[in-house]
Amino acid sequence: MARHRDDAKVLNRLARIEGHVRAVRRMIADGRDCAEVMVQLAAVRSAVDRVSRVVLKDHIRNCVAGRPRGPALARVLAELDGALDNFLG
Amino acid sequence: MARHRDDAKVLNRLARIEGHVRAVRRMIADGRDCAEVMVQLAAVRSAVDRVSRVVLKDHIRNCVAGRPRGPALARVLAELDGALDNFLG
Amino acid sequence: MARHRDDAKVLNRLARIEGHVRAVRRMIADGRDCAEVMVQLAAVRSAVDRVSRVVLKDHIRNCVAGRPRGPALARVLAELDGALDNFLG
Amino acid sequence: MARHRDDAKVLNRLARIEGHVRAVRRMIADGRDCAEVMVQLAAVRSAVDRVSRVVLKDHIRNCVAGRPRGPALARVLAELDGALDNFLG
């Protein structure tokens, strides 16, 4: 339901993550050592975490700001539980 | 120092992660809702974790199998501590 | 501000975590091996994660259900951002 | 198999974690708000992570330093994979 307002920022971060993963592939193809590869993979993971957090916060923010009541409230709370489970899984 | 033996497997997984991130970008550009986006971002994160674990295990395996002694042992142990810190950071 | 409705459940889980940590101490004092100790520490960590998630979800649920507006909305959103940062840190 | 050399340090950290969990229980019994509780639960989780990392590193260190060969090498590598899976699970 909820669109996120920060689409441009999120798209930009995802494009950079994609490029980062491509760079790690090149490192491995070039025979770079494990330690360097792990540093870059840890950086990729942090970047994925950060962009996920932007999406999650924006989602929660929209839910709260929508001030739902009655059946809409129940639906929003169920969606939020699902979103947190997915994110925190 | 240590090359990983599982290069083909790791390269393959990274290529799939790259495609997955590209697909998430398209989802957002298409205005798909946050809940779906978060499911996919959680899947990307899991995939990054799994491939990092392959690299880490392979690195540790090589270090142990190398049966270092003397100064080589000290160097290997220092490298391992660094690798674990990067991965677990 | 927000009290959590699930206090009894949370208190109960925390009491079990406390007992679990005590049991791990005994294992180490008894000279049990690292592999077993790590299994139990991983279980403690999962239990801490689960109880944190109960507290976080309840907090978010209360914030949404409170249907804040105006200055109260801004305050609730700031608190939520802080709570997520603490939890996800 | 492997005992950890850092037993005293590990036992000490675990005793502090136990006390920390007890303090969080008291906070909840006293009706302190969720945000404060989450800060403390996040601190407990970090402390559990840190002590697990001490145990894991020490375990790996012992395995490498043991310089296993033949069947002992296979057993050590299998144990390490298990330890990493438990820790990273």
Side-chain angles (χ1 to χ4, degrees), chain A residues 20-42:
Chain A
H20 203 156
V21 174
R22 199 175 309 123
V24 176
R25 286 210 281 149
R26 223 166 321 150
M27 287 176 71
I28 294 174
D30 290 353
R32 302 279 280 282
D33 71 58
C34 289
E36 287 178 75
V37 170
M38 273 184 288
V39 170
Q40 295 310 317
L41 285 174

Side-chain angles (χ1 to χ4, degrees), chain C residues 48-85:
Chain C
V48 173
D49 270 351
R50 277 195 303 275
V51 77
S52 302
R53 202 183 291 197
V54 170
V55 175
L56 174 67
K57 282 186 174 179
D58 201 56
H59 182 57
I60 291 177
R61 190 170 279 273
N62 286 336
C63 291
V64 178
R67 307 177 59 250
R69 67 193 314 167
L73 175 61
R75 194 177 35 99
V76 161
L77 293 176
E79 273 184 12
L80 272 181
D81 275 0
L84 288 167
D85 286 335

Side-chain angles (χ1 to χ4, degrees), chain C residues 19-41:
Chain C
H20 204 156
V21 175
R22 199 174 308 123
V24 175
R25 285 210 281 149
R26 225 166 317 147
M27 287 176 71
I28 294 175
D30 291 352
R32 301 278 280 282
D33 71 58
C34 289
E36 287 178 75
V37 170
M38 273 184 288
V39 171
Q40 296 310 317
L41 285 174

Side-chain angles (χ1 to χ4, degrees), chain D residues 9-64:
Chain D
K9 185 161 88 176
V10 170
L11 284 171
N12 200 273
R13 286 179 185 226
L14 288 172
R16 265 180 294 156
I17 289 171
E18 210 181 306
H20 204 155
V21 175
R22 198 175 311 123
V24 175
R25 285 210 282 148
R26 221 167 319 144
M27 287 175 73
I28 293 175
D30 291 352
R32 302 278 279 280
D33 73 56
C34 291
E36 287 178 76
V37 170
M38 274 184 287
V39 170
Q40 296 311 316
L41 285 174
V44 167
R45 189 173 50 162
S46 292
V48 172
D49 270 351
R50 278 194 303 273
V51 77
S52 303
R53 203 183 291 197
V54 170
V55 175
L56 174 67
K57 283 185 173 181
D58 201 57
H59 181 57
I60 291 177
R61 191 169 279 270
N62 285 337
C63 291
V64 177

